[in-house]
Amino acid sequence: MSTAVSTPLLSVTEAAESRRSIRKYDPAPIPREQLREILRVAGLAPSPWNLQPWRFVVVEDAVTKSKLQEAAYGQAQVGTAPAVIVMYSDMTDAIATVEETVHPGMRGPAGDKAAADIRATFAGYGDADRAAWGYAESNIALGFLLLAAQAHGYSTSPMLGFNPDAVKSLLSLPGDARLPALVAIGIGAEAGFPHHRHSLDRIARFV
């Protein structure tokens, strides 16, 4: 079994056109440096104020994956993929550490004002609205993650079918975290279905 993918990186278009949701995987582990690079690229996703509310937990341990599979209603890909990436948004941490995301070019009084303005903005949000904001922004990073994995030669299966409270308890995630998806990742052991999408004219118009 191969333990690494050595094919050239795909372009964004190639990754988007070739990506499929895969539910059967070769059990070969993914080299840690490749997982780190995929997550690094996912973290390049844009977010307002550069707040970057997304966080990742990479589950590789077999026992933990088995428990995660239970929380995902028994979905087979959680157990068979060599890794499952648990995506979550953490607005409490993002706001508490906002100085870390203020651009170095704005350090000093301008940066202090930017951080204060961000905190003041979110102070006006209710807990649910603040969490929904972070959840929505984290879905942008989810798209980046899926394309980055495909570009590196790894298949994925993003899943919405899971018990969020069970996942948070298993992985000791913050109580107010929101989870956009669990993402099984590995070398695919099936072809998957080809794309079946609306035509561009069905989903877009120009005015």
Side-chain angles (χ1 to χ4, degrees):
M1 293 181 294
S2 172
T3 59
V5 174
S6 59
T7 54
L9 294 182
L10 302 180
S11 69
V12 172
T13 298
E14 289 169 336
E17 290 181 340
S18 62
R19 205 205 75 79
R20 309 282 189 268
S21 284
I22 298 299
R23 293 169 176 80
K24 295 180 180 179
Y25 292 89
D26 185 313
I30 303 172
R32 180 62 55 83
E33 64 272 17
Q34 294 194 4
L35 279 169
R36 290 181 61 86
E37 176 62 10
I38 289 166
L39 294 176
R40 185 193 71 82
V41 173
L44 295 175
S47 62
W49 298 298
N50 196 38
L51 203 59
Q52 306 166 63
W54 45 78
R55 305 290 185 266
F56 307 96
V57 178
V58 182
V59 180
E60 300 173 294
D61 174 71
V63 173
T64 306
K65 276 199 301 172
S66 179
K67 295 177 180 178
L68 186 62
Q69 186 174 8
E70 292 179 17
Y73 309 123
Q75 294 187 76
Q77 60 267 42
V78 177
T80 61
V84 179
I85 300 171
V86 178
M87 272 200 75
Y88 69 99
S89 59
D90 186 347
M91 285 298 291
T92 298
D93 181 57
I95 295 169
T97 60
V98 69
E99 284 81 7
E100 296 178 6
T101 56
V102 172
H103 195 278
M106 293 179 62
R107 296 286 160 79
D112 294 342
K113 182 179 185 305
D117 287 348
I118 292 169
R119 288 199 172 98
T121 296
F122 285 108
Y125 281 54
D127 291 345
D129 289 340
R130 188 164 48 247
W133 189 95
Y135 176 84
E137 298 308 318
S138 295
N139 274 289
I140 301 174
L142 172 59
F144 273 52
L145 171 64
L146 299 179
L147 289 179
Q150 190 71 24
H152 282 78
Y154 292 101
S155 298
T156 53
S157 176
M159 293 162 278
L160 299 178
F162 56 88
N163 181 326
D165 290 335
V167 175
K168 287 193 282 187
S169 177
L170 174 64
L171 300 176
S172 300
L173 304 184
D176 58 353
R178 295 284 297 274
L179 282 68
L182 309 183
V183 181
I185 180 171
I187 299 172
E190 63 178 1
F193 289 108
H195 288 305
H196 176 63
R197 296 292 192 268
H198 287 304
S199 69
L200 181 60
D201 290 339
R202 175 71 174 80
I203 62 173
R205 64 190 181 102
F206 299 83
V207 297

